[in-house]
Amino acid sequence: MKRLLLLLLLSLFAIASLALWATVKRLDGEITSRFEGRRWELPARMYSRPLELYPGRKLEKKQLMQELDLLDYRMSEGLTTPGEYWINGSHISIHSRSFHFSDSKRPDKIIVMTLKNGQISLLIDKKSGQKISLFRLEPLHIASIYPGDNEDRLLIRISDTPPLLTQTLLLIEDKKFYQHIGIRPLAILRALLANLKAGKTVQGGSTLTQQLVKNFFLSSEQSLKRKVNEALMALLLEYHYSKDEILEAYLNEIYLGQDGKRAIHGFGMASRFYFQRNINELTPNQMALLVGMAKGASFYDPRRHPQRAKTRRNLILKNMGIAGVLQPAVVPVLQQRPLGVVERAPSGITRYPAFVQLVRRQLKQDYQEEDLQNEGLSIFTTFDPILQQQAEKSLGEVLSTIEHERKMPEDTLQGALVICSTDQGEVQAVVGNRFPRQAGFNRALDMRRPLGSVIKPAVYLSALGRPDQYNLLTILYDTPLTIPTSGEDWQPQNYDKTFHGPVPLRQALVHSLNVATVQLGMEIGLDNVIKTLHHLGISDEIKPFPSLLLGAVDLPPIAVLQMYQTIAAGGYKTPLRTILAVTDQDNRILQRYPLTVEQAADPAAVFCLNTALEEVTRTGTAGTLQQRLPPGLRVAGKTGTTNDLRDSWFAGFSDSHVAVAWVGRDDNKSTGLTGATGALRVWAQLMKKIATRALDLQPPPDIDLYFSDVVTGRLFSDQCRQGTLVPFIRGGVLPSVITCTTPGTPRRQSQQRTQSEDNLERTLQKGIRQFLRIFQ
């Protein structure tokens, strides 16, 4: 009987051993696969363009302060930690943060710049005293694309973590971390006895390794089986990995707060969430607060329970002083300080939904949604946060002013505003709603409205591209016109309901004469006008109806921006782009988005067109711009108004920026606004606020300039120097010649050629400057 019982016990022991071995084997595989693979699903992060600083750059102090404020810099004379700046007269010192750009990592650095007369006159490295030719501030984080579990974390390495933070964490959570093997049996036994005696949980015996296992691998279930698995996995984790690897994982895994559906994990993200600082910028009292929250992030939430959180923080500080981590004399001083938590938590919801939507659409051409949510990508964009602020403010201010002037109910009008760089087609700001924080319908991208007269430059460019038939002074006929259609015949009308008879092509565009435009478009052919629109960048299918010549084509503002970017760049189309580069979580380049340029139209024809569009803003339908823009800011553009004054458009450009504004109503009712009384005002308000260069049209080498009578459409004879200089494509048809009304200095062809050569030289110089700007 005893032998049988012994055999039974041995059998049970063998079975238990096999079961334990199987469990250990399974847990071991789970640990190594998770820990050696991708430990976390990391959100993709989008960044704005970095502000580039260099001697000679135009930069107002106000603009720099706005940028530093967005980046959460603090004024401090000592500049002891990154993220601080100090102003001393015209000298501004900045202690920049370290940042890994797409092309290189830049350590934190103190720079000193001198601002004089609205530009940077000197830029030096404070440590070395050497001059700096170019310095980039770190870009603004503008959005994240979160994984399915909505966990948000900023990965930190233990080597980059302040030693005081890890010392404090181990002091409070696990003093013997570097001595134990993953579990502490005596501590577990003491905690068990204390809890049994109290009849509730009053003491924990878990090591930091066990806490990591519980958070990283296991559920929150309270059972003996889970506790056994926790202990086994802690032992296995310590067997496979170093103490520093385990501690680093804990620093990134610990739950430290909640922002709606977004869970805040790790000390790196918590330092941004509570203090808007990077982890290496935290003060000792801020570190103490975060370490104290490890015991219970919700219970010690400093925004919801500030007194409870302060009591916990002060206890941590006291223990730091007792342990010698802090000098005891500084502890009372730190305990008196406020929590220092930013009042409003930085939301995980982007402040710039319209621009982010455009970025995501471009990303989807190259990346799966799962990759964007899980792989920790860094997306470097063309976004300009200062320009975006100015665009949002311009739209909101002007719409409110118009509603007040016209006694409309508040929020009657809506609008959209998009802006890009002229030469590179980089989209810098997108406003799809007068309430820009709302992530609903994006009018800049998704609204399709008739264009009105903003389409007309495509009609006139189609003609000017045929210099053997048309030039800026070709006579068009603004007379009654009937066009047969499948239904009722179409009889286009001018806005003023009158006809203007024979009129030069240039004047027809400047004053936006509908009938003359339709007459010209029908001569050229609707298919040819559609072809020009496609060359300029309009990708939508356009049906060949005569009404398209007056803008009966429904397109979003972003499409109009592409069209006008091509015109502004002299006929060279650069596909609009929002992304410059994408890197993985290890900062390796995955993809660059280089500048691509193609010639879409004859530069000489575009130059002729642009001189007329500049005249539109002087004496034409956009003439009121002269009263709204700063003196000397030359621009070009075109107004657009649709039937019953439903849509108000203005599209235009300076030398460095292209912008399109739309004003209307969501119910498609009349606004009572023309392009000049609505959208033009939004556009002008924006251009008045931003640092933009005046238009500087440089003629191509095959352009000759002639003094002309722009009213009659004829040239003055060679003996005259009066009237308006009008460009013509060399070798093309020329208007008839009239004699002087006032004697002038003779102008010879050789003088014309010299002027063209000078203009060509200026054009080349401008091209070199633009090339250098691209690669700065």
Side-chain angles (χ1 to χ4, degrees), residues 559-609:
V560 181
L561 184 69
Q562 178 68 82
M563 170 181 163
Y564 273 78
Q565 182 278 325
T566 307
I567 293 171
Y572 292 92
K573 181 178 73 176
T574 300
L576 297 180
R577 59 180 183 151
T578 60
I579 309 169
L580 299 174
V582 176
T583 61
D584 64 14
Q585 61 178 287
D586 295 318
N587 302 305
R588 294 173 299 200
I589 281 285
L590 294 180
Q591 191 165 359
R592 295 190 187 277
Y593 291 78
L595 181 70
T596 59
V597 181
E598 63 176 287
Q599 184 175 330
D602 176 23
V606 175
F607 175 79
C608 294
L609 172 70

Side-chain angles (χ1 to χ4, degrees), residues 387 391 417-430 536 557-570 572 574 576 610 613 635-638 650-661 683 686-687 690-693 695:
L387 204 154
L417 185 57
V418 286
I419 186 166
C420 73
S421 60
T422 299
D423 298 320
Q424 301 180 45
E426 295 181 350
V427 180
Q428 298 168 323
V430 179
L536 292 176
I558 194 70
V560 181
L561 184 69
Q562 178 68 82
M563 170 181 163
Y564 273 78
Q565 182 278 325
T566 307
I567 293 171
Y572 292 92
T574 300
L576 297 180
N610 286 346
L613 291 178
V635 296
K638 186 70 189 74
F650 188 80
F653 48 93
S654 64
D655 198 56
S656 52
H657 294 95
V658 188
V660 176
W683 192 94
L686 171 66
M687 286 294 179
I690 69 176
T692 190
R693 296 192 304 273
L695 189 65

Side-chain angles (χ1 to χ4, degrees), residues 617-634:
T617 69
R618 291 176 173 173
T619 63
T621 55
T624 56
L625 270 177
Q626 298 304 308
Q627 306 161 19
R628 300 183 182 278
L629 295 177
L633 181 55
R634 295 171 53 192

Side-chain angles (χ1 to χ4, degrees), residues 508-559:
L509 175 56
V510 168
H511 298 289
S512 200
L513 301 182
N514 289 340
V515 180
T517 302
V518 173
Q519 181 248 6
L520 176 63
M522 296 304 292
E523 283 183 10
I524 298 167
L526 297 175
D527 289 342
N528 289 320
V529 173
I530 293 172
K531 186 177 180 181
T532 297
L533 285 166
H534 287 155
H535 284 167
L536 292 176
I538 302 299
S539 58
D540 293 54
E541 179 184 358
I542 301 174
K543 298 194 179 294
F545 297 132
S547 56
L548 82 86
L549 300 169
L550 299 183
V553 177
D554 294 352
L555 291 173
I558 194 70

Side-chain angles (χ1 to χ4, degrees), residues 171-190:
L171 172 68
I172 302 304
E173 293 296 325
D174 193 347
K175 294 185 181 69
K176 303 291 186 180
F177 174 72
Y178 280 99
Q179 285 78 47
H180 63 63
I181 59 173
I183 61 173
R184 288 185 294 157
L186 290 179
I188 295 174
L189 182 59
R190 282 197 303 269

Side-chain angles (χ1 to χ4, degrees), residues 63-240:
Q63 180 186 353
L64 178 61
M65 292 303 102
Q66 287 177 319
E67 187 88 19
L68 293 175
D69 182 60
L70 283 171
L71 293 171
D72 298 318
Y73 273 67
R74 306 167 300 280
M75 183 177 281
S76 174
E77 186 173 5
L79 299 178
T80 54
T81 58
E84 296 179 342
Y85 71 95
W86 185 251
I87 301 175
N88 183 13
S90 61
H91 305 292
I92 301 174
S93 302
I94 301 173
H95 191 166
S96 68
R97 300 182 176 102
S98 63
F99 188 81
H100 213 303
F101 295 92
S102 63
D103 54 358
S104 62
K105 183 177 181 180
R106 202 269 328 277
D108 65 284
K109 180 182 289 189
I110 299 178
I111 63 166
V112 182
M113 76 173 73
T114 303
L115 289 179
K116 286 186 178 179
N117 301 321
Q119 71 175 26
I120 301 173
S121 62
L122 183 65
L123 193 63
I124 63 172
D125 182 332
K126 185 176 182 179
K127 183 177 181 181
S128 68
Q130 294 181 341
K131 293 182 179 180
I132 301 173
S133 59
L134 175 66
F135 186 83
R136 295 178 293 182
L137 284 177
E138 66 272 18
L140 175 69
H141 172 226
I142 61 173
S144 295
I145 303 175
Y146 295 106
D149 58 14
N150 283 317
E151 291 185 0
D152 196 7
R153 54 172 54 82
L154 280 172
L155 291 188
I156 56 174
R157 300 188 183 279
I158 195 167
S159 58
D160 298 326
T161 305
L164 181 60
L165 177 62
T166 54
Q167 291 170 16
T168 305
L169 177 65
L170 296 182
L171 172 68
I172 302 304
E173 293 296 325
D174 193 347
K175 294 185 181 69
K176 303 291 186 180
F177 174 72
Y178 280 99
Q179 285 78 47
H180 63 63
I181 59 173
I183 61 173
R184 288 185 294 157
L186 290 179
I188 295 174
L189 182 59
R190 282 197 303 269
L192 179 61
L193 293 174
N195 294 338
L196 288 173
K197 184 177 181 180
K200 60 181 180 178
T201 302
V202 294
Q203 186 175 328
S206 296
T207 64
L208 187 144
T209 309
Q210 287 175 274
Q211 293 180 45
L212 175 61
V213 166
K214 180 174 62 177
N215 294 330
F216 197 73
F217 296 102
L218 302 174
S219 68
S220 58
E221 174 192 4
Q222 296 293 328
S223 67
L224 179 60
K225 179 182 178 181
R226 190 196 67 78
K227 293 296 290 184
V228 170
N229 284 343
E230 178 187 300
L232 289 173
M233 294 178 84
L235 291 168
L236 291 168
L237 198 62
E238 294 267 356
Y239 174 75
H240 285 292

Side-chain angles (χ1 to χ4, degrees), residues 72 74 270-277 286 289 301-304 338-347:
D72 298 318
R74 306 167 300 280
S271 65
R272 296 295 306 166
F273 182 66
Y274 292 109
F275 304 111
Q276 292 186 355
R277 296 187 178 202
Q286 292 169 335
L289 177 62
D301 186 331
R303 293 193 180 95
R304 296 173 57 198
L339 291 176
V341 174
V342 292
E343 291 185 10
R344 187 174 181 180
S347 173

